[in-house]
Amino acid sequence: MRAFAARLQRFLSALVLFLAFVIVAERAAYAGLFGSGAATIQDRAGAVGFQALLSAPSFLYLAALWQLREAAAAAAQGVPFGPLAVRSIKRVGFCLIAGAALALFALPAVFSLLAEPRTRLIDHDVATLIIAAIGVGLSFLGRLMERAAEAEAELEQIF
C-alpha cells in the first residue's frame, strides 16, 4: 500500500505540472500571445485576463488533484486515515465543487455581463454536474473519515 501511494504521489505531481503547462499554453494561444498579429499590448492584456478567467475552473480541478496527491503522500507515510489525509480528501471535494460552481454559474454570469454570445444563465454541462456531485461525495467521505477518527479516539480513551 505504501509503495503504491508513493508511486501515485509522484504520478499526480507530474500530471499536475503537465496539465498546468497545457492549460497555460492553450490559453496563451487563445489570447493570441503566439501569433504575430498587430494587436496592441492592451488588447493582448485583456485577452490574457479573459483567458485566465476562463481557465479558473481548470485550475481549481488541478488544485483538487494536488490535494489528492497530499492524501497519497499521507498514505505513503503510513497514515492513510490521519488528519492530513482527511483534510486533503475534504479539500478535493471543495475544489471540485468550487470549480464546477464557477463553470456552471459564475462564468455564464460573466459572459452575460460582458455581452458575450454565450449568455445562458447556467451552463448546464452534464460532466460538470457530475464533477460537482463527486465533490459533494468526497466532502461527505472526508467528514465520515473525520468522525471515524473521533470515534476511534473516544474508544481508545475508554479501553
Side-chain angles (χ1 to χ4, degrees):
M1 174 69 155
R2 291 173 87 172
F4 175 75
R7 285 193 305 272
L8 179 61
Q9 179 187 8
R10 288 189 299 272
F11 171 75
L12 289 172
S13 296
L15 181 63
V16 167
L17 291 174
F18 172 73
L19 291 175
F21 173 77
V22 168
I23 292 168
V24 169
E26 176 186 47
R27 294 301 175 177
Y30 286 148
L33 296 183
F34 301 133
S36 60
T40 65
I41 291 177
Q42 289 84 8
D43 290 341
R44 288 194 180 178
V48 167
F50 186 68
Q51 292 302 321
L53 179 67
L54 290 178
S55 64
S58 297
F59 281 108
L60 281 167
Y61 298 149
L62 284 182
L65 284 177
W66 191 260
Q67 288 302 315
L68 185 59
R69 177 203 165 280
E70 293 295 318
Q77 294 170 358
V79 194
F81 300 106
L84 176 62
V86 171
R87 188 170 47 248
S88 295
I89 294 297
K90 287 168 57 177
R91 286 180 180 169
V92 169
F94 172 77
C95 288
L96 292 177
I97 293 167
L102 273 176
L104 290 170
F105 303 109
L107 290 181
V110 168
F111 282 126
S112 65
L113 288 174
L114 297 175
E116 291 289 324
R118 293 178 52 187
T119 56
R120 288 180 262 165
L121 211 49
I122 297 174
D123 189 6
H124 56 283
D125 178 34
V126 174
T128 306
L129 291 171
I130 292 170
I131 288 172
I134 291 170
V136 170
L138 286 172
S139 292
F140 175 71
L141 179 63
R143 287 192 175 92
L144 281 179
M145 291 172 63
E146 190 173 56
R147 181 64 188 122
E150 291 170 0
E152 182 181 40
E154 288 176 18
L155 286 175
E156 286 178 4
Q157 288 178 352
I158 293 172
F159 296 108

